[in-house]
Amino acid sequence: KRKEPTVKKICFESGCIVQAAIDLASVFFQENLTVTEGLKSMIVFLDRILPEIPPEEDNFKNSIAFICEVLFSREYYSCSNTLYYLMRRVLVNQKEKDVRRVSLLRSLIPRIDQEQNVEHVLTLYAECAVSSLYLSMEQETEIISSILRLKMEIMEPIHSAIIEYLPSATREQAATYGKAYMSAWSHAVKYNRDPSKVFQYSYIMDLMLHAVKDREMSVVHNIREVLLQFNSFEFRMKKMIYESFMTIALRYMKVGVKL
């Protein structure tokens, strides 16, 4: 009986061909040559097959990712699989240089590839949103803000992950969340004059609700740190945040809890 080839064997046997394609693309980019449509199609193809390559072939996958990143930076070709690969790579390897690579692709984050398993992508985004490495770097606000720009109907897993993480977050991490929410809000209100109709509104209100329901001082202080980041925003936003949070403050004052 003929033995069926394994995925690993196929990767090994086709590796020389793919590596040659990667090397060819590298020469074009290094020499600043005009990238042909055929070469672009080949790089897009490499991005599409990235999830099919076994995890143990990470060096191979990383080489493909680098080529896709270069094409994206030059011609803004979509490379969503490269983005997802790098985001997972950060969670596994915890390397700051990979966070910077993700940051360069962050404009792709809100545009989830519909060919992907959306649930898996949202799970990945939620894990990144509470990753200590993502929360500790200069690029963290930009990446998390991009995640918070998802459509309202699919944002719930990310917001829930942040809510669950907040009690154990540091003040600095809470401030990072505040900046990310504010940045996402700022981006959204450019297209909507009424701040209360922007989808982040409901999530900010939900943060305040948790401060009342959980009655944990760590949650209250961290949520206050989140809201403080909106002070640099326009007056109508500050007024709305202040008036909403005062409701919580007054409730705590009635039970003798000092904010």
Side-chain angles (χ1 to χ4, degrees), residues 78-103:
S78 179
C79 52
S80 56
N81 285 325
T82 295
L83 169 68
Y84 304 148
Y85 160 72
L86 289 174
M87 294 180 83
R88 290 189 184 96
R89 183 180 168 93
V90 170
L91 296 174
V92 174
N93 296 339
Q94 296 288 302
K95 292 184 178 179
E96 294 184 358
K97 63 180 181 181
D98 287 332
V99 176
R100 288 188 282 271
R101 292 169 69 187
V102 171
S103 183

Side-chain angles (χ1 to χ4, degrees), residues 164-180:
E164 187 176 342
Y165 182 75
L166 267 176
S168 59
T170 65
R171 293 290 178 86
E172 291 76 14
Q173 290 173 337
T176 294
Y177 283 130
K179 292 172 185 175

Side-chain angles (χ1 to χ4, degrees), residues 8-247:
K8 187 173 182 179
K9 184 179 179 182
I10 293 172
C11 285
F12 177 78
E13 292 176 347
S14 61
C16 294
I17 299 173
V18 177
Q19 189 60 55
I22 293 171
D23 293 341
L24 176 63
S26 298
V27 170
F28 269 77
F29 291 138
Q30 289 170 7
E31 299 298 326
N32 203 27
L33 301 174
T34 301
V35 180
T36 65
E37 289 301 317
L39 187 57
K40 292 175 188 176
S41 298
M42 181 196 70
I43 296 173
V44 171
F45 170 74
L46 291 176
D47 176 76
R48 293 177 72 88
I49 67 170
L50 200 53
E52 310 304 325
I53 302 174
E56 56 267 26
E57 301 294 333
D58 188 65
N59 288 339
F60 189 33
K61 298 179 76 165
N62 198 35
S63 297
I64 292 176
F66 271 118
I67 292 300
C68 294
E69 290 169 74
V70 175
L71 181 62
F72 174 82
S73 67
R74 287 176 54 142
E75 304 201 26
Y76 202 71
Y77 266 63
S78 179
C79 52
S80 56
N81 285 325
T82 295
L83 169 68
Y84 304 148
Y85 160 72
L86 289 174
M87 294 180 83
R88 290 189 184 96
R89 183 180 168 93
V90 170
L91 296 174
V92 174
N93 296 339
Q94 296 288 302
K95 292 184 178 179
E96 294 184 358
K97 63 180 181 181
D98 287 332
V99 176
R100 288 188 282 271
R101 292 169 69 187
V102 171
S103 183
L104 293 174
L105 300 176
R106 66 184 181 276
S107 60
L108 294 173
I109 291 176
R111 296 158 39 198
I112 295 180
D113 188 339
Q114 293 305 309
E115 293 184 7
Q116 295 286 331
N117 184 318
V118 175
E119 185 177 340
H120 287 175
V121 175
L122 292 178
T123 299
L124 171 64
Y125 284 2
E127 291 175 1
C128 293
V130 297
S131 162
S132 58
L133 183 56
Y134 277 109
L135 286 166
S136 64
M137 290 188 62
E138 183 180 349
Q139 293 83 3
E140 80 283 13
T141 301
E142 298 170 340
I143 294 172
I144 296 176
S145 173
S146 296
I147 294 174
L148 293 174
R149 292 178 191 175
L150 290 170
K151 294 179 181 178
M152 186 173 183
E153 57 267 25
I154 60 174
M155 254 285 292
E156 182 58 34
I158 288 89
H159 179 71
S160 296
I162 293 174
I163 287 287
E164 187 176 342
Y165 182 75
L166 267 176
S168 59
T170 65
R171 293 290 178 86
E172 291 76 14
Q173 290 173 337
T176 294
Y177 283 130
K179 292 172 185 175
Y181 273 103
M182 188 195 75
S183 177
W185 180 294
S186 176
H187 180 269
V189 295
K190 288 180 181 178
Y191 309 101
N192 195 322
R193 292 188 176 183
D194 184 355
S196 66
K197 292 182 180 178
V198 176
F199 70 87
Q200 284 90 350
Y201 178 89
S202 61
Y203 292 115
I204 294 170
M205 296 302 104
D206 189 52
L207 286 170
M208 299 177 186
L209 179 62
H210 274 276
V212 175
K213 290 173 62 178
D214 291 351
R215 311 187 75 79
E216 293 183 22
M217 290 310 298
S218 61
V219 176
V220 176
H221 286 306
N222 279 344
I223 288 177
R224 183 172 64 175
E225 195 67 39
V226 170
L227 301 179
L228 280 173
Q229 308 312 310
F230 286 86
N231 281 338
S232 61
F233 204 56
E234 57 184 285
F235 176 74
R236 60 178 175 166
M237 181 64 190
K238 288 192 289 186
K239 185 173 184 292
M240 185 198 71
I241 291 293
Y242 174 77
E243 290 178 350
S244 299
F245 194 64
M246 276 304 297
T247 303

